[in-house]
Amino acid sequence: MPLKELRGLTSIVTGAAKRIGREIALELGSEGVNVVIHYSGSENDAKSLKAELEAKGVKAWTLQADFSRGGYDGFIERALGLAGKADILVNNASVFPRNTLDEITFEGLVANIQINAWAPFVLSRDFAGLVKKGKIINMLDSRLTGYDWTHVEYILSKHVFAELTKMTAVQYAPDITVNGVNPGLILPPPGKDQSYLEKLNSTVPLKKHGNPQEIAAAILYLLKTEFLTGEVINVDGGRHIMEYGRGPHPD
Ligand SMILES: NC(=O)c1ccc[n+]([C@@H]2O[C@H](COP(=O)([O-])OP(=O)(O)OC[C@H]3O[C@@H](n4cnc5c(N)ncnc54)[C@H](OP(=O)(O)O)[C@@H]3O)[C@@H](O)[C@H]2O)c1
């Protein structure tokens, strides 16, 4: 059976102005999908993305919301007010602060959960309630199978989001599918250069890092298939199976 045609659908992509979110929006545009571009602080990048998408012949709108200040409440209604309809929600926006187990605080953990898990959950719940039929994609992390020693508040919040991915997949079926992507090493954190990734390439079975196009390709597959929900694809060069490479346990 051929994969579903996406042309003419409308998507909402959070954190779309830059980096991976921007690539997701552009690939959706190339497939003929209209895009509501969510941004928080990157207004100029959001506007330039809108122009790039329109040049591809699709419709695009920009929509600002700060999820650390409750901007998720009413967000889907605002998006529907702009675009008139929505078929796809990509929960991509995230924060990635550096902290170890010794450094984390309750307030920090709550702040990470608010943006990385609660905001996408509220968006998903409202989307499922308002659009009735559609597809949700959640951006998780391939280190959910291991331990991110230096981003502890972040990885805990992504664990919450991963559980919510399964719960919402069951709750909103059959009309709404909820799937996820676990990116591995894709882009260095903002402010770091490529050498950050090069140093970590040795931790990946395929001995290289990926790129935003690989993530967008996995998302397009999840959007085009009709028989997946609650599924998460690791796009990480095999990094999530590194534990198998450690050799036998010394027992
Ligand atoms: N980069 C990687 O290699 C990698 C690896 C594993 C997982 N991931 C996941 O993949 C997704 C995309 O990664 P990325 O590195 O491209 O993300 P990113 O650059 O760290 O963040 C994406 C966007 O999130 C938005 N955002 C941050 N704080 C916000 C807030 N308070 N309210 C609303 N939006 C806010 C920002 O929008 P503005 O710029 O408009 O403020 C930002 O551009 C994330 O979910 C990330 O966790 C990425």
Side-chain angles (χ1 to χ4, degrees):
M1 193 181 202
L3 293 173
K4 187 181 155 74
E5 164 77 30
L6 301 180
R7 187 163 299 280
L9 299 181
T10 297
S11 64
I12 301 166
V13 182
T14 68
K18 298 200 287 204
R19 293 165 54 85
I20 294 175
R22 189 181 188 94
E23 185 60 32
I24 295 167
L26 286 170
E27 294 289 339
L28 285 167
S30 297
E31 294 281 326
V33 177
N34 306 315
V35 185
V36 176
I37 302 159
H38 159 262
Y39 69 96
S40 177
S42 301
E43 184 177 4
N44 289 340
D45 293 291
K47 283 183 178 161
S48 73
L49 174 61
K50 178 178 181 322
E52 247 185 279
L53 285 165
E54 287 168 347
K56 288 178 184 284
V58 296
K59 293 183 191 151
W61 306 264
T62 59
L63 187 54
Q64 197 277 339
D66 182 348
F67 296 156
S68 71
R69 295 170 181 266
Y72 36 79
D73 289 322
F75 179 82
I76 297 295
E77 287 96 323
R78 291 173 65 207
L80 290 173
L82 284 177
K85 67 159 189 151
D87 310 281
I88 296 164
L89 168 64
V90 182
N91 284 310
N92 169 77
S94 172
V95 284
F96 186 59
R98 189 179 166 85
N99 42 57
T100 64
L101 200 55
D102 288 339
E103 293 163 351
I104 66 170
T105 63
F106 176 70
E107 292 73 21
L109 180 59
V110 170
N112 275 257
I113 289 174
Q114 184 180 25
I115 296 167
N116 295 350
W118 183 253
F121 166 62
V122 171
L123 265 50
S124 301
R125 187 168 60 183
D126 289 351
F127 179 85
L130 289 167
V131 312
K132 305 299 178 207
K133 194 160 179 60
K135 291 180 185 282
I136 299 173
I137 303 290
N138 291 338
M139 294 294 282
L140 301 165
D141 194 300
S142 81
R143 299 195 86 180
L144 288 167
T145 50
Y147 177 26
D148 188 336
W149 293 71
T150 50
H151 302 90
V152 175
E153 290 168 351
Y154 160 86
I155 203 68
L156 284 169
S157 71
K158 289 284 186 181
H159 277 284
V160 174
F161 193 21
E163 278 306 308
L164 283 166
T165 300
K166 290 186 266 185
M167 291 175 184
T168 53
V170 173
Q171 184 84 15
Y172 304 148
D175 293 325
I176 307 282
T177 64
V178 186
N179 292 296
V181 173
N182 279 346
L185 287 177
I186 304 295
L187 289 178
K192 303 263 184 194
D193 62 22
Q194 284 296 111
S195 66
Y196 175 94
L197 296 181
E198 307 296 336
K199 273 191 284 182
L200 292 169
N201 282 348
S202 62
T203 67
V204 181
L206 297 187
K207 302 294 177 218
K208 59 182 180 181
H209 56 82
N211 56 56
Q213 290 81 1
E214 303 277 2
I215 302 298
I219 289 176
L220 289 183
Y221 170 69
L222 290 170
L223 293 173
K224 289 180 178 185
T225 185
E226 295 288 2
F227 200 49
L228 289 184
T229 197
E231 186 57 74
V232 179
I233 303 181
N234 284 284
V235 184
D236 70 342
R239 199 182 192 199
H240 67 287
I241 48 170
M242 277 306 272
E243 289 294 314
Y244 289 86
R246 289 184 194 276
H249 209 267
D251 57 1

